[in-house]
C-alpha cells in the first residue's frame, strides 16, 4: 500500500484475476467467466469472486481480454488539422455515439503534410475494430 500526499492510499501493484481467484478460492478461468456476458456461474461463486475483486480493487483488463477475443472494443478516429472550431464538439458527440454502441474512441492525428503510411501501421498495431477518418489517404 502506498499513501500519497493528501492521505489517500492505493495499491502499488494492480490486482490480477489470479489474485482474485486465490482469494475467492476459485480458478482464474472462473474469475474470467464472472466478468463475461452470458456465462454460467453459480450465484454463490459470483458473489465470492465479486467480494474478492472488491477487496483487491480488481478491474478486469480489457487489453488482456482482447488477446483472446480478437476484439479490442476500440474505434480509431483519424483527424487532420482542425479546420473548424466545431471539431471538439463533433469529437465529443462522436465519442458519445461510439460509447453508446459499446466501444471506446481512440483518436489519432494526421498532420496535413503527411501521407498516412506510418499512421496506418500504427492503427493496425492497436487492432482496432473500426476506423473513422476525416483524412484522405494516398
Amino acid at each position: 500500500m502506498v499513501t500519497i500526499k493528501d492521505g489517500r492510499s492505493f495499491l502499488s501493484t494492480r490486482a490480477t484475476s489470479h489474485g482474485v481467484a486465490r482469494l475467492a478460492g476459485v480458478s482464474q478461468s472462473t474469475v474470467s467467466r464472472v466478468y463475461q456476458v452470458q456465462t454460467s456461474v453459480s450465484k454463490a461463486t459470483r458473489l465470492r469472486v465479486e467480494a474478492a475483486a472488491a477487496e483487491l480493487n480488481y478491474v478486469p483488463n480489457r487489453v488482456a481480454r482482447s488477446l483472446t477475443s480478437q476484439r479490442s472494443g476500440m474505434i480509431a478516429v483519424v483527424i487532420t488539422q482542425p479546420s473548424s472550431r466545431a471539431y471538439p464538439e463533433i469529437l465529443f458527440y462522436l465519442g458519445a455515439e461510439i460509447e453508446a454502441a459499446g466501444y471506446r474512441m481512440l483518436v489519432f492525428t494526421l498532420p496535413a503534410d503527411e501521407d498516412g503510411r506510418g499512421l496506418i501501421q500504427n492503427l493496425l498495431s492497436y487492432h482496432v475494430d473500426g476506423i473513422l477518418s476525416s483524412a484522405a489517404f494516398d
Side-chain angles (χ1 to χ4, degrees):
M1 186 82 63
V2 176
T3 303
I4 54 178
K5 197 174 189 179
D6 66 1
R8 292 181 296 148
S9 59
F10 62 95
L11 296 174
S12 57
T13 58
R14 288 190 172 155
T16 65
S17 59
H18 294 283
V20 172
R22 252 190 320 278
L23 185 59
V26 298
S27 68
Q28 185 277 331
S29 62
T30 299
V31 173
S32 272
R33 284 196 315 276
V34 166
Y35 289 98
Q36 290 175 16
V37 177
Q38 298 178 338
T39 56
S40 61
V41 177
S42 75
K43 186 173 183 171
T45 299
R46 181 176 301 279
L47 290 173
R48 260 194 353 259
V49 168
E50 289 172 347
E55 184 175 331
L56 296 174
N57 295 317
Y58 171 72
V59 177
N61 185 329
R62 295 177 111 186
V63 173
R65 180 170 291 157
S66 73
L67 295 174
T68 58
S69 70
Q70 297 297 306
R71 298 194 53 96
S72 66
M74 293 186 289
I75 301 294
V77 175
V78 180
I79 60 171
T80 56
Q81 185 170 351
S83 57
S84 165
R85 290 186 197 167
Y87 247 55
E89 187 175 359
I90 291 167
L91 283 175
F92 176 83
Y93 287 111
L94 179 60
E97 289 297 320
I98 288 171
E99 286 187 35
Y103 293 90
R104 298 297 290 178
M105 180 171 69
L106 191 59
V107 177
F108 292 84
T109 57
L110 179 64
D113 60 344
E114 288 187 23
D115 66 6
R117 287 188 192 110
L119 178 62
I120 291 170
Q121 290 303 313
N122 197 4
L123 286 170
L124 294 174
S125 74
Y126 282 92
H127 298 275
V128 294
D129 293 336
I131 301 170
L132 294 171
S133 177
S134 66
F137 292 96
D138 293 331

